[in-house]
Amino acid sequence: MAVPTLSSESTATAWSGPSTLFAPSDASLHSCYSCSVPSLLREHIVPGLFTMDYLRKLAFGTKVETLTPGKCITVTSSSAKTKIFIGGVEITRPDLFNNGFLVIHGIQGYIAPLSPFSCDVERLNSLTFPFQQPDRVPVPGGPPAVMRLMMRDAILRLRNNGFSILALAMRVKYPELIALSNMTIFALDDFSIFSGSYSYISSVRFHIVPNQLLTIADLERLPVGCTLPTLESGQSLVVTTAAAAAAPMRINYVRIKLPDVMRNLKIAVHGIYLPFPRIYQSTTPAAGATQSFDHGVWGSGTVENTQADSASASSDCAAKSEKDGSCAMVPVPPVKATLEVEDNHYGL
């Protein structure tokens, strides 16, 4: 009965994505005579789908921000993770409802009203971001609430699925990323980075396509030679092999390893085998120059694709003969391709 009262709340209406509700029983709510049920309910709702299985995977003490800006609930568990606690209250009826857009867990009591400092205790596993202070006037054109929530959702999911380095880089680059309308990220997992692909750490911006939300289906429709602008000024990614039955698509000669690793309303992440090598395009446009994809508009590019077309059909690039997603046997089109490995690993 209290849920419809949230429709007039600016914080709630700013978020229209999937949510998780930790639902107190009627009896527990009736026992709190001084509680404002709508206010209490906002502190029991978190953006994103947190099933019981997913909650068990979270590190002890993970903080999850609620619909009330600047207020976080803390996820803890018993030693064997047989019991999960939200704000110190046990989940007694897990996955009470789940339709793919809303997850509801029944809890034993209710979460006590959260402190304004509930997000201030920073740990490795806490996800908190700066909010505007209540007494400050919002800046016109400032970061929308939805993007802020999507960033937090992406960082949490990446960190818990083997992409901790990328999650950390997104936190470091938070002021820059929050200003984007959406983004596509090509990610290297932690194991690959620690196995030798250190150059990814200093070139994360080269692996982010700003203001474009590209799923694997969108990427596979791109033709050979299509360019994707990145956050790194003056540097673009190039589709070097189009998706086909004979060979998977390649961007900068690297194959996508895990398509759609993580996707929400604003961010799409795809896993790749290796850091992208840098391809310096020819300065002289050729006849039949290929196309570029910039902010949803097709235009003319400068990368010649005559030999790249033949590469996409070459059996030398068949997926069954690959181990690391790269293909050394591909005929190189008339562009200068180099792989830059920087010694500076602090350029997140």
Side-chain angles (χ1 to χ4, degrees), residues 8-260:
S8 61
E9 300 289 337
S10 60
T11 303
T13 54
W15 172 249
S16 58
S19 302
T20 300
L21 167 63
F22 300 99
S25 65
D26 292 347
S28 63
L29 287 176
H30 291 157
S31 67
C32 183
Y33 301 105
S34 62
C35 291
S36 166
V37 175
S39 298
L40 195 68
L41 187 60
R42 284 196 301 274
E43 296 181 0
H44 285 67
I45 300 176
V46 297
L49 299 178
F50 291 82
T51 63
M52 193 64 171
D53 287 340
Y54 186 71
L55 288 170
R56 287 194 178 98
K57 295 177 182 178
L58 298 180
F60 186 94
T62 294
K63 291 179 178 292
V64 182
E65 191 176 13
T66 67
L67 282 187
T68 301
K71 294 190 177 181
C72 298
I73 55 176
T74 305
V75 182
T76 54
S77 61
S78 60
S79 56
K81 293 203 172 185
T82 55
K83 296 181 179 181
I84 302 295
F85 301 89
I86 303 296
V89 181
E90 182 183 353
I91 296 178
T92 53
R93 300 191 66 182
D95 298 322
L96 188 63
F97 177 81
N98 184 353
N99 65 354
F101 193 79
L102 174 66
V103 173
I104 300 178
H105 302 292
I107 58 178
Q108 192 171 34
Y110 64 88
I111 302 171
L114 299 171
S115 164
F117 306 103
S118 57
C119 295
D120 288 352
V121 180
E122 290 291 340
R123 299 180 181 177
L124 179 62
N125 56 347
S126 70
L127 292 174
T128 59
F129 300 104
F131 284 87
Q132 290 182 338
Q133 297 299 323
D135 57 344
R136 294 178 61 185
V137 178
V139 179
V146 173
M147 187 59 175
R148 174 170 47 79
L149 294 171
M150 291 296 95
M151 279 281 292
R152 194 220 39 216
D153 170 63
I155 290 173
L156 178 63
R157 291 164 63 182
L158 288 168
R159 192 191 59 201
N160 287 294
N161 287 279
F163 293 85
S164 298
I165 301 298
L166 175 60
L168 176 60
M170 291 178 69
R171 292 196 64 173
V172 172
K173 289 294 182 183
Y174 180 79
E176 180 179 12
L177 298 179
I178 196 65
L180 302 177
S181 59
N182 44 42
M183 71 188 83
T184 301
I185 304 175
F186 296 96
L188 218 63
D189 58 73
D190 297 342
F191 180 81
S192 298
I193 293 174
F194 293 132
S195 296
S197 298
Y198 307 117
S199 62
Y200 183 82
I201 299 175
S202 58
S203 61
V204 171
R205 299 175 80 255
F206 183 57
H207 293 73
I208 299 177
V209 178
N211 302 317
Q212 298 294 337
L213 185 66
L214 301 172
T215 65
I216 187 61
D218 298 325
L219 291 172
E220 289 179 343
R221 287 195 292 266
L222 301 179
V224 171
C226 172
T227 58
L228 301 171
T230 70
L231 273 182
E232 191 164 320
S233 179
Q235 296 291 324
S236 296
L237 302 174
V238 182
V239 177
T240 49
T241 303
M249 80 164 299
R250 295 172 186 277
I251 298 176
N252 284 38
Y253 303 102
V254 176
R255 185 160 62 95
I256 293 177
K257 180 180 181 182
L258 297 171
D260 294 328

